[in-house]
């Protein structure tokens, strides 16, 4: 009996010593799990295949370029890439998540109710408790989103990474959504005697569109599109400037009376609808504008050169994209032809949405093994560092950029060439959004960066000085119920149907509001009871 006890004790001692050695080995590899061991040069020993899903289109052969190869070599991985069409993004991810087919890592257009359901069902990977210490760059950016902290309070853990819009280069305070910036043909404006300003009311934009339609200064003929907006653009640049609660992001809001309301039922929304219908009936909007998808509206402006006004968005990179496209497709210098501005309501007030500092999220398969999760997180942490951001956004030092004699970043790319031209489909910046670096990126023309900053600062100033910014209400955004899910509408489509419908618009709108109240009122009752 004593002999057997000695054997058991000896066996237990061997087991304990083996565990100690394993822990020491893991510590010597920076806390990495098995499968992430590194050689004497700090390189990962074992190759991994990582499946990733993103809305960035990757064409055949593009993984062979130097940029993608850098990341695959640095982290000893092979990419198994899954492209998601923008229009089917939510549906595709929902199908993958619920069927257990989620790739190792994916970008997801965050929906709070879905997130809570997925977490409850164990359909998303749960992060280790010490993840913030192990990946400090990611943790620092994550803390700025606000959503991360809110979710931790609700779930007791971390199950996804909200993607920060801004990290070190926030352009204005309060932070206002970058939407609501338009581009117009300033050469046509000069020709028809239309004044160039930093901000226009919706009515002023329509007046410019009328002048262009009447005079056709570009000799475009029947192909002319005065206001080249698709349905979403029309909501952004015609309805929202007049009604800050007309969009899904701010549709349910607390009014000055302390009670919750539904923005689509506000009289201000009717004002925007009337302007939109007027533009449609006058032929300022294309007869088939509501059928356009993705970039069809903006392509009329930057590719075919047949549009007077298009929706642009507030990022300097968007303006540079216009410049590149017009140079390639029209053979013109856009600086001579394009003016950008923000859009005001018809009463001259500025309206927009306060922006939480996140958009979409990064999620991981619940079946991913710890070693693969850690390898991906190592890469994401590096991409969030200063060095990683430079590579993601500017390419390689000495080849694509350098520091000038004053220590400032200087692009070495050929004039008119973007990093996307040289290294197409760069999806590896999975976490921190490009908005942040675009504020300082010298590969983007300084004039465009300064103009973008001006728009942001004007939005913040005008929004606080007599304007109306829709507050980002965490109570509403993180409230989930069956009633709220049922009262989720495609507002761009709903509004378009209203302006196309025969009969009196106001009467149709009031009837539409009434028809939706069976779904909307339960949500208002629930919010008001909180």
């Amino acid at each position: 009996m004593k002999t057997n006890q000695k054997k058991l004790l000896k066996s237990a001692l061997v087991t304990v010593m083996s565990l100690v050695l394993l822990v020491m080995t893991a510590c010597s590899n920076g806390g990495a799990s098995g499968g992430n061991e590194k050689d004497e040069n700090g390189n990962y020993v074992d190759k991994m295949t990582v499946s990733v899903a993103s809305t960035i289109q990757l064409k055949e052969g593009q993984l062979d370029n130097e940029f993608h190869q850098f990341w695959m070599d640095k982290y000893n991985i092979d990419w198994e890439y899954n492209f998601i069409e923008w229009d089917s993004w939510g549906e595709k991810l929902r199908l993958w998540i619920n069927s257990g087919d989620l790739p190792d890592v994916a970008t997801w257009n965050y929906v709070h109710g879905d997130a809570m359901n997925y977490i409850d069902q164990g359909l998303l990977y749960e992060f280790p408790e010490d993840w913030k210490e192990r990946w400090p760059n990611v943790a620092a950016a994550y803390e700025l989103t606000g959503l991360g902290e809110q979710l931790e309070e609700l779930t007791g853990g971390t199950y996804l990474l909200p993607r920060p819009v801004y990290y070190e280069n926030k352009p204005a305070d309060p932070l206002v959504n970058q939407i609501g910036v338009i581009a117009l043909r300033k050469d046509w404006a000069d020709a028809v005697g239309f004044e160039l300003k930093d901000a226009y009311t919706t009515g002023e934009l329509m007046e410019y569109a009328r002048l262009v339609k009447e005079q056709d200064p570009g000799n475009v003929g029947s192909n002319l599109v005065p206001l080249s907006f698709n349905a979403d653009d029309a909501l952004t640049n015609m309805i929202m400037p007049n009604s800050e609660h007309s969009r899904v992001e701010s549709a349910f809001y607390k009014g000055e009376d302390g009670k919750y309301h539904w923005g689509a039922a506000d009289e201000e929304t009717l004002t925007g609808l009337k302007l939109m219908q007027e533009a449609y009936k006058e032929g300022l909007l294309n007869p088939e504008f509501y059928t356009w998808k993705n970039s069809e509206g903006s392509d009329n402006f930057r590719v075919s050169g047949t549009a007077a006004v298009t929706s642009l968005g507030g990022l300097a990179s968007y303006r540079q994209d216009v410049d590149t496209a017009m140079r390639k497709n029209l053979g013109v210098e856009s600086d001579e032809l394009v003016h950008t501005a923000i859009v005001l309501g018809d009463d001259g007030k500025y309206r927009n949405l306060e922006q939480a500092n996140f958009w979409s999220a990064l999620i991981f398969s619940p079946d991913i093994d710890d070693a693969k999760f850690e390898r991906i997180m190592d890469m994401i942490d590096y991409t969030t560092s200063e060095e990683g951001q430079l590579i993601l956004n500017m390419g390689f030092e000495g080849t694509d950029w350098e520091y000038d004699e004053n220590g400032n970043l200087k692009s070495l790319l050929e004039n008119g060439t973007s990093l996307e031209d040289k290294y197409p489909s760069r999806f590896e910046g999975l976490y921190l959004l490009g908005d942040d670096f675009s504020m300082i990126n010298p590969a983007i023309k300084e004039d465009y960066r300064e103009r973008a900053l001006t728009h942001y600062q004007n939005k913040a100033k005008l929004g606080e000085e007599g304007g109306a910014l829709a507050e980002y209400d965490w109570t509403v955004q993180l409230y989930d119920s069956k009633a709220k899910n049922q009262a989720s509408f495609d507002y761009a489509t709903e509004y378009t149907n209203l302006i196309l419908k025969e009969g009196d618009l106001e009467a149709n709108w009031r009837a539409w509001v009434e028809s939706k109240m069976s779904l909307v009122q339960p949500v208002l009752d629930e919010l008001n009871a909180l």
Side-chain angles (χ1 to χ4, degrees):
M1 189 69 168
K2 289 182 179 179
T3 301
N4 288 338
Q5 287 177 334
K6 286 180 180 179
K7 287 181 177 179
L8 288 171
L9 287 170
K10 184 176 181 180
S11 176
L13 181 61
V14 169
T15 301
V16 169
M17 290 302 295
S18 297
L19 289 172
V20 170
L21 286 172
L22 283 172
V23 171
M24 291 176 65
T25 301
C27 290
S28 69
N29 284 286
S33 296
N36 278 326
E37 291 78 12
K38 296 182 180 180
D39 61 23
E40 63 276 6
N41 297 315
N43 299 316
Y44 294 95
V45 174
D46 297 326
K47 182 179 286 290
M48 288 183 176
T49 297
V50 176
S51 58
V52 59
S54 169
T55 56
I56 296 175
Q57 187 169 14
L58 182 72
K59 297 179 180 178
E60 186 176 354
Q62 287 182 336
L63 275 176
D64 298 333
N65 74 39
E66 181 184 359
F67 185 89
H68 291 300
Q69 199 62 51
F70 168 82
W71 298 101
M72 290 188 287
D73 290 346
K74 182 174 179 63
Y75 292 96
N76 201 10
I77 56 177
D78 283 330
W79 291 120
E80 183 182 286
Y81 189 77
N82 298 271
F83 167 61
I84 313 168
E85 292 281 359
W86 186 271
D87 292 341
S88 61
W89 186 13
E91 180 183 354
K92 177 72 77 172
L93 265 294
R94 188 177 296 111
L95 177 63
W96 281 342
I97 293 169
N98 284 306
S99 63
D101 293 325
L102 185 66
D104 295 324
V105 58
T107 57
W108 174 50
N109 194 8
Y110 181 83
V111 177
H112 181 66
D114 288 348
M116 298 304 292
N117 289 333
Y118 297 153
I119 292 169
D120 288 343
Q121 297 175 56
L123 298 177
L124 300 179
Y125 180 85
E126 182 177 6
F127 287 35
E129 291 184 2
D130 65 346
W131 78 267
K132 293 181 182 179
E133 289 72 41
R134 295 181 65 178
W135 298 288
N137 293 319
V138 177
Y142 168 92
E143 293 295 332
L144 296 179
T145 66
L147 178 59
E149 180 181 354
Q150 297 283 339
L151 289 177
E152 288 174 10
E153 292 180 5
L154 290 172
T155 66
T158 304
Y159 296 86
L160 54 85
L161 295 174
R163 302 178 69 201
V165 181
Y166 294 102
Y167 183 26
E168 296 182 333
N169 301 296
K170 185 178 178 180
D173 193 19
L175 185 59
V176 178
N177 200 302
Q178 57 89 10
I179 61 176
V181 175
I182 55 91
L184 62 80
R185 285 291 295 261
K186 68 178 180 181
D187 56 331
W188 294 1
D190 290 340
V192 300
F194 186 73
E195 181 183 2
L196 298 179
K197 301 192 295 185
D198 288 340
Y200 296 102
T201 66
T202 43
E204 286 174 329
L205 283 182
M206 288 171 62
E207 181 57 31
Y208 169 62
R210 291 188 187 101
L211 291 170
V212 170
K213 185 174 184 290
E214 292 168 1
Q215 301 180 36
D216 190 12
N219 296 314
V220 178
S222 61
N223 292 322
L224 178 64
V225 186
L227 296 176
S228 194
F229 297 154
N230 62 24
D232 286 323
D233 297 333
L235 168 53
T236 297
N237 299 296
M238 303 194 79
I239 299 178
M240 185 196 73
N242 293 283
S243 179
E244 71 274 17
H245 295 294
S246 58
R247 294 179 60 95
V248 65
E249 299 92 333
S250 61
F252 293 101
Y253 70 97
K254 182 177 285 189
E256 293 182 0
D257 59 0
K259 296 181 179 180
Y260 279 95
H261 300 265
W262 184 44
D266 291 347
E267 293 291 329
E268 292 84 355
T269 299
L270 177 59
T271 298
L273 286 168
K274 287 179 177 179
L275 289 164
M276 182 176 166
Q277 186 182 69
E278 185 180 339
Y280 181 72
K281 287 185 173 181
E282 291 186 25
L284 306 182
L285 290 171
N286 185 277
E288 298 182 351
F289 80 98
Y290 51 90
T291 67
W292 290 347
K293 302 294 184 183
N294 300 325
S295 64
E296 288 184 76
S298 60
D299 283 351
N300 291 321
F301 189 90
R302 61 183 186 168
V303 176
S304 63
T306 58
V309 179
T310 192
S311 185
L312 179 65
L315 301 184
S317 57
Y318 296 167
R319 176 64 183 88
Q320 181 129 317
D321 289 344
V322 169
D323 181 69
T324 301
M326 293 183 79
R327 193 187 307 272
K328 285 182 177 179
N329 295 289
L330 301 173
V332 296
E333 297 292 331
S334 73
D335 291 359
E336 302 300 318
L337 306 177
V338 178
H339 177 71
T340 63
I342 62 176
V343 187
L344 310 176
D346 219 36
D347 57 3
K349 293 183 178 181
Y350 180 73
R351 298 174 179 85
N352 202 322
L353 317 174
E354 279 191 4
Q355 180 173 313
N357 193 30
F358 79 91
W359 177 76
S360 72
L362 209 58
I363 54 176
F364 296 83
S365 167
D367 300 321
I368 191 173
D369 63 68
D370 291 342
K372 187 176 289 188
F373 170 78
E374 291 170 2
R375 184 82 63 94
I376 298 169
M377 286 294 288
D378 285 349
M379 187 195 81
I380 294 171
D381 197 66
Y382 178 70
T383 66
T384 313
S385 69
E386 181 178 356
E387 181 177 309
Q389 279 289 290
L390 286 172
I391 295 173
L392 281 175
N393 295 288
M394 296 198 65
F396 303 106
E397 185 175 8
T399 302
D400 304 312
W401 64 274
E402 65 182 8
Y403 290 106
D404 65 19
E405 61 275 8
N406 298 315
N408 298 316
L409 294 170
K410 177 184 176 182
S411 175
L412 299 177
L413 296 179
E414 182 180 346
N415 186 36
T417 301
S418 69
L419 202 64
E420 183 64 20
D421 293 325
K422 187 173 183 180
Y423 309 120
S425 305
R426 294 168 296 118
F427 62 81
E428 286 88 355
L430 290 168
Y431 188 47
L432 182 59
L433 296 178
D435 305 43
D436 185 73
F437 198 83
S438 73
M439 303 306 300
I440 62 169
N441 190 346
I444 298 174
K445 194 171 181 178
E446 185 176 5
D447 287 349
Y448 301 160
R449 287 185 279 126
E450 290 180 351
R451 188 67 176 165
L453 186 60
T454 295
H455 291 325
Y456 269 109
Q457 292 175 345
N458 283 342
K459 288 178 176 184
K461 179 181 178 182
L462 294 172
E464 289 198 317
E465 297 178 0
L469 300 180
E471 177 185 359
Y472 194 88
D473 187 339
W474 286 108
T475 299
V476 174
Q477 298 298 333
L478 300 187
Y479 180 72
D480 182 49
S481 72
K482 181 179 180 180
K484 188 184 178 190
N485 292 335
Q486 290 177 332
S488 179
F489 309 116
D490 180 346
Y491 287 93
T493 298
E494 296 279 357
Y495 294 151
T496 298
N497 289 338
L498 279 171
I499 70 111
L500 295 177
K501 190 173 183 179
E502 294 291 333
D504 179 71
L505 174 61
E506 182 170 348
N508 289 338
W509 170 72
R510 295 192 186 281
W512 173 79
V513 168
E514 183 62 30
S515 73
K516 298 296 185 184
M517 290 311 295
S518 62
L519 296 174
V520 169
Q521 191 60 52
V523 183
L524 296 176
D525 292 342
E526 290 176 359
L527 291 171
N528 285 319
L530 293 177

